[in-house]
Amino acid sequence: MRKIYLLMALCLSFAITSCGDKNEDEDIIVDYAPVEFYISVENKSGLDLLNSENEGTLDVDAIKLYYKDKSYSFNSEATSPFTRAYFPRFEGMELQKIDGKYRSYVGEFDGNPGHSGDSFTMEWGDGSRDTFTYTNTKVGQHGVEHKFYLNDHSVKSGAYPYVSITVIK
């Protein structure tokens, strides 16, 4: 009987010491997905202008990306994050073939609602330029709404931090 009382006292002491006050002001760490752009370039007939096999395409080597006072060309190799923590890492632009169509991948940008947004400019090698912009707005306690713009015209908004944009040349 003594053993039962001792065991109950021990369990009760664990129960009392393991319960603590719930601190509502504790910091909660939330990872936000990075913002990414997938940019297709087509003519009015829908011809993929990034595919070098098509006639009248853009010179991919002449395409430049301007972001934060730096110029970028297409990367031939992409690297992956080295840690489990997911921090956006801007790597310039990469030419990707997705579902048989070429796209310029540009990213990663900060998708955190504390980061108001950013913009970059692409020069297409034919003298024309386009400016891409995104904004992040906090929604609720941990949500975020992303808005995407092409040359100051709204393209898409929502919770997803990526956008597929087709530029018509």
Side-chain angles (χ1 to χ4, degrees):
M1 189 75 157
R2 253 184 173 174
K3 288 182 184 179
I4 293 176
Y5 285 126
L6 184 58
L7 184 59
M8 287 176 50
L10 188 60
C11 288
L12 185 61
S13 67
F14 282 132
I16 291 172
T17 59
S18 66
C19 296
D21 293 339
K22 197 172 194 177
N23 188 352
E24 297 292 329
D25 296 331
E26 282 185 35
D27 288 335
I28 297 174
I29 298 172
V30 179
D31 285 335
Y32 292 95
V35 172
E36 301 171 316
F37 288 81
Y38 294 89
I39 303 166
S40 303
V41 184
E42 299 176 354
N43 66 11
K44 292 177 185 173
S45 304
L47 184 71
D48 183 358
L49 297 180
L50 295 176
N51 185 347
S52 60
E53 296 175 1
N54 293 337
E55 253 184 71
T57 61
L58 296 171
D59 180 5
V60 173
D61 295 328
I63 296 174
K64 299 288 182 221
L65 167 74
Y66 298 98
Y67 175 64
K68 292 194 176 184
D69 300 326
K70 289 186 181 178
S71 173
Y72 299 86
S73 297
F74 281 111
N75 291 329
S76 59
E77 51 191 63
T79 57
S80 57
F82 297 107
T83 67
R84 285 181 59 188
Y86 203 86
F87 298 104
R89 196 170 62 183
F90 183 75
E91 296 183 25
M93 63 179 174
E94 178 183 330
L95 188 62
Q96 298 179 344
K97 188 174 184 179
I98 302 171
D99 296 329
K101 189 175 183 178
Y102 285 89
R103 293 185 177 132
S104 171
Y105 165 80
V106 181
E108 300 171 335
F109 298 95
D110 195 347
N112 186 321
H115 181 77
S116 61
D118 229 327
S119 67
F120 62 92
T121 300
M122 291 191 70
E123 189 174 274
W124 299 109
D126 62 358
S128 64
R129 301 177 94 152
D130 288 302
T131 301
F132 300 84
T133 307
Y134 76 95
T135 61
N136 301 323
T137 306
K138 186 174 182 175
V139 176
Q141 188 173 1
H142 301 295
V144 60
E145 179 183 29
H146 307 281
K147 293 183 181 176
F148 298 93
Y149 302 89
L150 170 59
N151 298 324
D152 294 327
H153 298 310
S154 180
V155 176
K156 178 185 169 187
S157 65
Y160 294 106
Y162 59 86
V163 64
S164 183
I165 298 174
T166 301
V167 175
I168 306 297
K169 299 230 143 265

